[in-house]
């Protein structure tokens, strides 16, 4: 082998080694950043957790003057607003995706697709301003009185829709979050629906099935993993959303049975109070809220991965 070929081989090996080292470094950097975030959150939370113990999770009191802090109200608000958002956005988003891929006329697909992409690109503070000055007043005068009167004679449910129509509150925040996560769920669901082989749908239509049967028997089972992934992405966005929720949730550190009452979330509490937190215990309590949000997000994503694994095993993949 001549020297020129040896030089080229050495150059190729050196390039491969460099490329392998860069990619390994990028992967390790992600792990280091994640580890650094976890360590920082745990270290900053130690004063609050050591002072209040497990009671920090089960107490809704939040009084900076007496330094009595509890995370129950923000945790409750975070979970309930995210649940309301998914309850609204998931069926609507999947319905839009089904319409775009199975029923929509070709001339209408592009305008709707562009509108969905524009919704995804709107900054969250714009959603918050619109929610506070446009949606909340409309909700207060037109929707909340109807909901209160409709559910008033129904036992149990009337407690969830009780109280004066404030306009702002947990239900309003859930609606705003639903609008915000809708483009993500719709876009991902539409993309995974497009991956269904045309021959499968054509064969099902050839058997005399209707569009609804094709969607429920072929499209959804074929794309279940991608659909759940889109839902989890929307849930992650809802759990961590800050500015839009801060505008419309009312920012009250209390738990009410009514979803129309003002409340707060973990991210909204941190955004509202971190800059004015005085004292190590106050700051540590806010950092502990961040740690709790991190843990909630981690367990949600872990549960989603476990669900997908079980579905794949059940399907024999």
């Amino acid at each position: 082998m001549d020297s020129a070929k040896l030089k080229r081989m050495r150059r190729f090996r050196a390039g491969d080694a460099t490329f392998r080292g860069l990619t390994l470094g990028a992967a390790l950097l992600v792990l280091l950043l994640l580890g650094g975030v976890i360590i920082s959150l745990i270290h900053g939370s130690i004063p609050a957790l050591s002072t209040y113990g497990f009671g920090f999770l089960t107490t809704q009191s939040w009084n900076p003057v007496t330094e009595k802090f509890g995370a129950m109200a923000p945790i409750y608000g975070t979970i309930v607003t995210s649940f309301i958002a998914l309850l609204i956005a998931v069926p609507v988003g999947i319905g839009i995706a089904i319409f775009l891929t199975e029923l929509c006329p070709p001339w209408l697909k592009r305008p709707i697709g562009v509108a969905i992409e524009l919704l995804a690109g709107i900054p969250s503070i714009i959603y918050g301003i619109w929610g506070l000055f446009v949606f909340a007043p409309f909700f207060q005068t037109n929707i909340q009185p109807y909901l209160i009167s409709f559910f008033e004679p129904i036992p149990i449910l009337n407690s969830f829709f009780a109280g004066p129509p404030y306009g702002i509150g947990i239900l309003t925040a859930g609606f705003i979050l639903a609008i915000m996560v809708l483009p993500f769920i719709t876009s991902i669901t539409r993309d995974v629906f497009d991956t269904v082989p045309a021959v499968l749908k054509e064969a099902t239509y050839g058997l005399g099935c209707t569009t609804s049967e094709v969607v429920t028997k072929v499209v959804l089972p074929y794309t279940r993993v991608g659909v759940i992934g889109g839902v989890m992405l929307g849930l992650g966005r809802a759990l961590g959303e800050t500015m839009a929720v801060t505008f419309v949730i009312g920012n009250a550190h209390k738990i009410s049975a009514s979803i129309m009452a003002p409340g707060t979330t973990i991210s909204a509490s941190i955004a509202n109070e971190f800059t004015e937190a005085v004292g190590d215990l106050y700051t540590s309590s806010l950092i502990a809220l961040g740690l709790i949000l991190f843990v909630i997000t981690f367990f949600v994503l872990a549960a989603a991965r476990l669900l997908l694994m079980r579905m794949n095993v059940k399907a024999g993949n």
Side-chain angles (χ1 to χ4, degrees):
M1 185 177 296
D2 56 26
S3 59
K5 289 184 178 180
L6 287 174
K7 289 181 180 179
R8 284 197 297 268
M9 291 182 63
R10 292 194 190 99
R11 189 166 62 251
F12 291 152
R13 292 195 187 99
D16 287 342
T18 302
F19 180 74
R20 189 181 302 111
L22 290 174
T23 54
L24 176 61
L28 293 177
L29 179 62
V30 172
L31 295 178
L32 289 174
L33 290 174
L34 180 61
V37 170
I38 295 173
I39 293 173
S40 298
L41 289 174
I42 293 175
H43 181 266
S45 304
I46 289 176
L49 297 179
S50 61
T51 301
Y52 304 113
F54 186 75
F56 184 75
L57 300 176
T58 58
T59 304
Q60 62 172 310
S61 174
W62 190 272
N63 193 333
V65 177
T66 60
E67 292 193 330
K68 299 294 183 182
F69 301 105
M72 190 64 184
I75 293 173
Y76 170 82
T78 300
I79 294 175
V80 173
T81 54
S82 299
F83 175 78
I84 293 173
L86 290 187
L87 192 65
I88 299 170
V90 170
V92 175
I94 294 177
I96 294 173
I98 292 173
F99 175 75
L100 290 175
T101 55
E102 303 296 330
L103 301 170
C104 184
W107 60 270
L108 191 57
K109 281 187 177 181
R110 185 170 182 82
I112 296 179
V114 171
I116 292 171
E117 294 171 359
L118 288 176
L119 279 177
I122 296 176
S124 60
I125 193 170
I126 303 301
Y127 281 108
I129 294 173
W130 175 81
L132 179 63
F133 292 105
V134 178
F135 182 77
F138 172 81
F139 198 61
Q140 179 184 18
T141 57
N142 296 280
I143 306 299
Q144 284 186 331
Y146 170 77
L147 292 176
I148 294 171
S149 61
F150 179 81
F151 288 101
E152 187 176 5
I154 304 176
I156 300 177
L157 289 180
N158 56 7
S159 61
F160 292 108
F161 296 90
Y166 293 108
I168 60 174
I170 289 179
L171 183 59
T172 306
F175 270 103
I176 297 299
L177 282 178
I179 297 173
M180 295 182 67
V181 304
L182 179 63
F184 297 93
I185 296 175
T186 302
S187 180
I188 294 176
T189 305
R190 179 193 60 187
D191 291 341
V192 297
F193 282 176
D194 284 335
T195 64
V196 179
V199 64
L200 293 180
K201 294 190 287 187
E202 292 170 358
T204 311
Y205 281 121
L207 293 174
C209 294
T210 62
T211 302
S212 61
E213 290 173 327
V214 171
V215 170
T216 56
K217 303 296 184 182
V218 176
V219 176
L220 286 175
Y222 188 88
T223 59
R224 63 189 184 280
V225 174
V227 172
I228 294 177
V231 172
M232 290 301 106
L233 178 63
L235 177 58
R237 174 73 187 271
L239 287 171
E241 179 52 45
T242 304
M243 293 309 301
V245 174
T246 304
F247 273 90
V248 298
I249 198 170
N251 302 305
H253 282 273
K254 63 180 181 180
I255 297 176
S256 175
S258 175
I259 59 176
M260 294 187 181
T264 188
T265 64
I266 293 176
S267 55
S269 298
I270 296 173
N272 276 326
E273 304 184 31
F274 203 88
T275 55
E276 57 189 37
V278 178
D280 295 338
L281 196 57
Y282 193 0
T283 304
S284 178
S285 298
L286 292 172
I287 296 175
L289 288 180
L291 177 63
I292 294 170
L293 180 60
F294 181 90
V295 172
I296 291 174
T297 305
F298 174 81
F299 277 106
V300 166
L301 295 178
R305 294 292 300 178
L306 180 62
L307 176 62
L308 294 177
M309 289 173 59
R310 293 184 63 180
M311 291 176 63
N312 287 332
V313 170
K314 186 177 180 180
N317 295 333

